Amino acid sequence: MSEVILCKSVSCADTSGKHIFHSFNRRSPLPSDVHIKIRYSGVCHSDIHCGRGDWGPKSYPLCTGHEILGEVVNVGAEVSKVNIGEVAGVGCFVDSCRGCEECKEGEENYCSGPGGFRGTYAHKEREDLVPGGVTQGGYSTDIVVDERYVVKVPEALNRAEAAPLLCAGITCFAPFIQAGVRPGMKVAVAGLGGLGHMAVKIAKKLGAEVTVLTRSQSKVESALAMGASKVVVTTNEEEVKAAAKSVNLVYNCISASHDMVFYLSFLKNRGTMIVVGLPPEPIANLKASALAGRGLSIKGSLLGGIKATQEMIDFCARHNIVSDIELIPATPEAVDVAWERTMKSDVKYRFVLDTAATLEKEFDERAKKRAKLA
Amino acid sequence: MSEVILCKSVSCADTSGKHIFHSFNRRSPLPSDVHIKIRYSGVCHSDIHCGRGDWGPKSYPLCTGHEILGEVVNVGAEVSKVNIGEVAGVGCFVDSCRGCEECKEGEENYCSGPGGFRGTYAHKEREDLVPGGVTQGGYSTDIVVDERYVVKVPEALNRAEAAPLLCAGITCFAPFIQAGVRPGMKVAVAGLGGLGHMAVKIAKKLGAEVTVLTRSQSKVESALAMGASKVVVTTNEEEVKAAAKSVNLVYNCISASHDMVFYLSFLKNRGTMIVVGLPPEPIANLKASALAGRGLSIKGSLLGGIKATQEMIDFCARHNIVSDIELIPATPEAVDVAWERTMKSDVKYRFVLDTAATLEKEFDERAKKRAKLA
């Protein structure tokens, strides 16, 4: 067996959400594997929920991150999708059953095999490859992934700004394509955060007329700059009234508890609300008659398949769509702050770890310091 | 102005839901109007809810009924859809704004004009035609309707059994067509009543594999006879477990309060639950994450447009799909009993008033009796 790859990471130490430097091994590339040297890694809300144990107990240290972009440094003998030296991306999952109807139809994001898809972090590893192991994500120097779960990233895209496309981008793009977003369609985006700002940009370039629904007067200007034709400040009753029944689609990416039924009021008859945010409470006061009477739908959506992810990233490259980011060093201190600020929506609009520039260097320097002290 | 048409009816007297004989006028046909002599009229749950005041106060006497089938006895000069002597049907609405995008696209059922579509009964009449008037439905001898809101009924269909297609039939057919129900698709029907039994028959003839979800062991045999491949008795835990995540579509036509989230469990990932029943309570314990995680949708649906209604009735004629009915006299006593029994789901599966054979005769005889007594 060839040698495993020593991988350095910024990992979550425990449910406090505090980070530490930590190293672990990646498997040596199998014939169908791609070894990526990670350059940039986005910070997603899910990292924080998972790291803090909101979604059940995890084993620590846990390296999160599923908006991964880097350079291919090695490939197995069977790999044909990418070549050494090319830019590649990895999103929210690194494997799936490959046999269920969802996988066969290219929607691995809804894999109905045992346990569903294998998440990029905090999921059980393949028992034959890493017995008892848990997947580790992108706040790290290296990742090894089967080529089926890798996308090729066009050179044209700014790499740091493109990293968030791997989760935030596809989470908008996939349901938009399914809903047939196109010129003439009116789309409202509820919540202008990491997801929402991508949704505005993508819907706009798909040809839709975009309205942003936000509580913050302060976001009006940036929403318009991103391509929204209209912004409704939802605390303003008159604006809300004027926008009633005005759009075909509401893209609801609010993850905090909120009144979902309120956002249905912006839909024209026959409209659809796509829900991708995951507020912890059940939807309140939703009557079947409110849906039936106006022919409304609520459609849940989770990520997108690999085929759609490739289409998304090619689409974004053609239209120069990237995320607005704050680039931060890949150090425990910087990630701690980024997590805190993300939870307060205090980021415009996505933190991205400058992994290649900082992680290995800082990791090694601190290791040296510790050695000296000892 | 030509003469109005004297129309005899069985009308709801007040919120008690008790019926009386009652006469009123129908307008003389306008150039685009069709005058139909009503032969059969189905009894729908909505008649009862509306008549009893569950949906707000109404003016009485109120003649309900929106599953209307009869013979064309007169047409205005501009009418081209039907000829005198042909069989025609009228469903749940008799007019709409004709100018909104929904009307223009043939989905008058979602008319977004002021007040929405004009319901066949208990809606405001056109002020220019019947000032201050209220529409009156099909438990009557005659109806006059603009040809745009009339469908032509193929001769092949049994007329009494076809009457319920005008509401129950289209309420299944329209969302099935929109959802692409076709061979290879697995459809579950939740609730085997007036709507559900039509849904089974229509889904089957569209090529789907149909599962019926019912609480009643007693309905298993009839469900299979109607074309279901499988029946899940929902009180049987093992049957429920075995049927988890097995269908693409759940057609939920349960109108009583029930656990909607339970019925989502039968959906495969990416499945859709169509809701047409109108339980009074909000949907309980539905989390956005339950929809998003599996890519599930809940789609409300109300009736169908006139174009779809014509397609539905032609489809049913081709496949000999009709309702299972209990034919009853169009007398106040019989309708009172029918309403009581419908509310207890004690009907297989739809009451139909034998209007032509009984209404006029009984109405006149009682009038004579009253005259003698006076």
Side-chain angles (χ1 to χ4, degrees), chain B residues 326-344:
Chain B
E326 294 191 34
L327 197 62
I328 59 168
T331 62
E333 299 74 23
V335 175
D336 285 354
V337 171
W339 278 26
E340 288 296 336
R341 286 183 51 202
T342 298
M343 290 309 286
K344 288 187 283 190

Side-chain angles (χ1 to χ4, degrees), chain A residues 101-102 105 107 110 260 268-270 278 280 282-283 286-289 292-293 295-302, chain B residues 101-102 105 107 110 260 268-270 278 280 282-283 286-289 292-293 295-302:
Chain A
E101 66 181 85
E102 291 82 0
E105 291 170 15
E107 298 206 89
Y110 297 123
M260 281 222 180
K268 293 183 186 218
N269 289 354
R270 309 180 291 171
L278 307 172
I283 301 172
L286 174 64
K287 285 191 177 185
S289 55
L296 303 182
S297 300
I298 299 180
K299 185 173 170 51
S301 185
L302 180 73
Chain B
E101 65 181 86
E102 292 82 0
E105 290 170 16
E107 298 206 89
Y110 297 123
M260 280 221 181
K268 292 183 187 218
N269 289 354
R270 308 180 292 170
L278 306 173
I283 302 171
L286 173 64
K287 285 192 178 187
S289 56
L296 303 182
S297 300
I298 300 181
K299 186 176 170 48
S301 185
L302 180 74

Side-chain angles (χ1 to χ4, degrees), chain B residues 14 71 86 144 160 173 186 205 232 266 285 304 316 321 364:
Chain B
D14 50 44
E71 200 171 281
E86 288 180 338
V144 177
F173 185 80
K186 295 182 179 186
K205 289 295 182 185
V232 175
F266 296 96
N285 297 318
C316 288
I321 300 173
D364 292 347

